Amino acid sequence: MTAPASLAERERLAAAGALDVERLRASFPILDQEVHGHSLVYLDNAASSQRPEAVIEAVSDCYRTYYANAHRGVHALSERSTDEYEAARGKVARFVGAGKDSEIVFTRGTTESLNLVAQSYARPRLLPGDEVLLTEMEHHSNIVPWQLVCEQTGARVRAAPITDGGDLDLAAMAGLIGERTRVVAVAHVSNALGTVNDVAAVARLVRDRSDAAVVVDGAQAVPHMQVDVSALGCDFYAFSGHKMYGPGGIGALWGRGELLASMPPYHGGGAMITRVTFERTEYTVPPHRFEAGTPSIAPAIGLGVAVEFLESLGLERIERHEQALLSHSLEQLNDLPWVQVLGQPPGGESPRAAVLSLVIDGAHPHDAATILDEQGIAIRAGHHCAQPLMERLGVPATVRASFGMYNTHEEVDRLISGLHEVRRIFG
Ligand code: C6P
């Protein structure tokens, strides 16, 4: 590792609007450790990022000082929990540009958010022969919920193609949108390739050709770029707390207010009703209509703090830093003819987030991951819950390195040395 930046260098970077990564890393206690005798290089951020002290502290403070059930008690602790929980909703709403706080439904994460849309929005509307249009680069969370609802209704799933370079083929997609299309569901950023899809362009295509709802899987976008749901022109936007420096077990769905108001709940239980008899139940308004049972109060509060943390650094600065890491990686990978970088550099119009999906000659991705782990480098190997994409690209699995705000250029160099070690062993 190179020596820490001098004070003068850090001041120069700060003046240029760059992230002070060294100081930032000190906010993430988990990063300061050795793994197998090497300092940890954490490059598995697309699976789960790590949490800053501020988030850990907010969750622990909730449990230590004021936790009680929310929306249920009149006692002081319950009122404080309720206030903090609802304040977190407001922070998340502002973060994604929602018009109203009530357009944010807290869920367990992207997976639950997408299942909610499939069951509460799509299921009552889909008829036999209707179509749900996905893309070939979707995560299983944006495929399986749609298959389930299609099996329940007689509708069918279709998939818009991608190019060999890993871009969404918008022209081909346009040709697949028609009168029978009821839902178009697309990843904002691919977890396996890093492709950043032009969601606003997809939404325009859909509006010109159908009255289908546009559902966006934002799991890999919100930690890395400024997201404004109204500018995107979509109807639903799903994301997870644990990928955006927040706690696990919490995420959110943004939905257009009028659509949420028209949807039945898909879970039943406490806190989502106005009146229950044995004959029938009247449901309360969104978002509470979709939050049956005791919510994940402390994780939601932690998510609110994660959002403030991201905002205090600035998404543009984070994106610029991560793009610099991506360029630095690609420059070096260019010199390794035995490593293929899937979907990089961009073959078409779409930019890429800082995700590298690598195929290494002669080395199985799981073996490569084990060798990298022995050097303290955490990456993910496998199909990344995107089997149809792997099939489309003709590979069973890849080695994936995914960057976050706290990664450094020295860590990129460690990854490259690690790949050389993989090559040395599997030659
Ligand atoms: N991808 C990855 O390693 P959950 O598990 O509900 O928080 O998120 C699901 C999900 C949905 N969409 C995309 C684009 C995703 O990347 C993920 C999670 C992780 O790529 C774990 S499989």
Side-chain angles (χ1 to χ4, degrees), residues 194-232:
T195 310
V196 183
N197 288 314
D198 186 347
V199 169
V202 170
R204 282 193 298 275
L205 282 185
V206 174
R207 304 285 179 238
D208 288 349
R209 289 164 178 77
S210 73
D211 56 6
V214 178
V215 182
V216 183
D217 171 351
Q220 300 292 349
V222 282
H224 307 293
M225 61 193 63
Q226 189 73 56
V227 169
D228 179 346
V229 289
S230 52
L232 292 176

Side-chain angles (χ1 to χ4, degrees), residues 348-398:
E349 301 295 307
S350 313
R352 296 290 188 269
V355 174
L356 296 166
S357 230
L358 311 176
V359 177
I360 304 165
D361 283 357
H364 189 280
H366 286 111
D367 295 332
T370 304
I371 291 165
L372 291 169
D373 178 54
E374 282 164 3
Q375 298 166 71
I377 303 168
I379 52 90
R380 183 175 170 187
H383 52 63
H384 315 300
C385 301
Q387 283 180 344
L389 174 65
M390 296 292 125
E391 198 165 310
R392 164 67 181 83
L393 297 173
V395 293
T398 73

Side-chain angles (χ1 to χ4, degrees), residues 146-231:
W146 302 113
Q147 286 173 335
L148 289 170
V149 75
C150 285
E151 279 163 19
Q152 289 155 348
T153 58
R156 69 170 176 145
V157 164
R158 304 190 77 187
I162 62 166
T163 65
D164 292 341
D167 287 308
L168 183 56
D169 184 340
L170 278 178
M173 184 175 212
L176 290 172
I177 303 170
E179 271 178 13
R180 299 312 302 258
T181 317
R182 297 277 174 257
V183 172
V184 176
V186 56
H188 196 171
V189 175
S190 156
N191 68 314
L193 297 178
T195 310
V196 183
N197 288 314
D198 186 347
V199 169
V202 170
R204 282 193 298 275
L205 282 185
V206 174
R207 304 285 179 238
D208 288 349
R209 289 164 178 77
S210 73
D211 56 6
V214 178
V215 182
V216 183
D217 171 351
Q220 300 292 349
V222 282
H224 307 293
M225 61 193 63
Q226 189 73 56
V227 169
D228 179 346
V229 289
S230 52

Side-chain angles (χ1 to χ4, degrees), residues 46-47 109-111 139 141 191 217 219-220 240 242-243 380 385 400:
T110 309
T111 303
H139 185 280
S141 291
N191 68 314
D217 171 351
Q220 300 292 349
S240 301
H242 68 104
K243 294 185 199 292
R380 183 175 170 187
C385 301
R400 184 187 68 183

